[in-house]
Amino acid sequence: MPPLTGTRGLVAYRSPTPQDALPAWRLARRTPRPHSPGPHHYARWFRDFADTSLVAAAGRDVIGFLIGYRRPDVPDTYVVLRTEAGPHPGMPALGAHLLRAAAEREIAKGARFIEAAVPAGDAAGTEACERLARWYGAHARREPLFPSSGSPGGAHDGILHRIGPLRGTS
């Protein structure tokens, strides 16, 4: 997917580096979550998952990121582990575009399905998944990721969105 142009300059999607960890961590802190990881976690993820993760950058500023990986037991499935996209003037739906850029890259490498766990009540995350399914004309299935009946502590980690099968659009 080519970089998208907003009213305030070019937004480029690229693989992250450990140097992107601090700005990504600052961006993630805007959305309070229990057990939020520290900047060293982002540096490690960006080192270990650089080939399957992306950052969105406007000039030198990291304005969004997505951490993902391929499921070892289901290699045609790309899993979105974490995503954040700050509000950026001229770039509505930045999170959805970041998700699409990651999907395009992974489809080119053989992925047929995208999975993302979206916290209950996260309207933007749900919309990004629904938008991705519409872009590809793909089926989108939703279910609790870990139903409370089988989870430690009786809780579940969001709603699993499984989108596919997918074929590239570019």
Side-chain angles (χ1 to χ4, degrees), residues 60-146:
R60 293 184 178 180
D61 296 329
V62 172
I63 59 172
F65 68 88
L66 181 147
I67 299 167
Y69 63 92
R70 294 293 277 275
R71 279 185 61 183
D73 59 330
V74 188
D76 70 346
T77 299
Y78 177 70
V79 177
V80 176
L81 182 62
R82 176 89 191 249
T83 186
E84 289 289 339
H88 187 68
M91 285 303 305
L94 178 60
H97 288 285
L98 187 60
L99 181 59
R100 185 176 184 184
E104 282 295 313
R105 187 172 71 176
E106 292 304 314
I107 289 167
K109 296 182 208 174
R112 294 184 57 237
F113 296 90
I114 304 290
E115 288 185 352
V118 178
D122 181 349
T126 297
E127 173 56 29
C129 290
E130 290 172 356
R131 184 178 285 206
L132 185 69
R134 286 192 305 270
W135 272 326
Y136 290 101
H139 177 71
R141 188 178 80 215
R142 286 194 256 182
E143 61 189 42
L145 177 56
F146 297 114

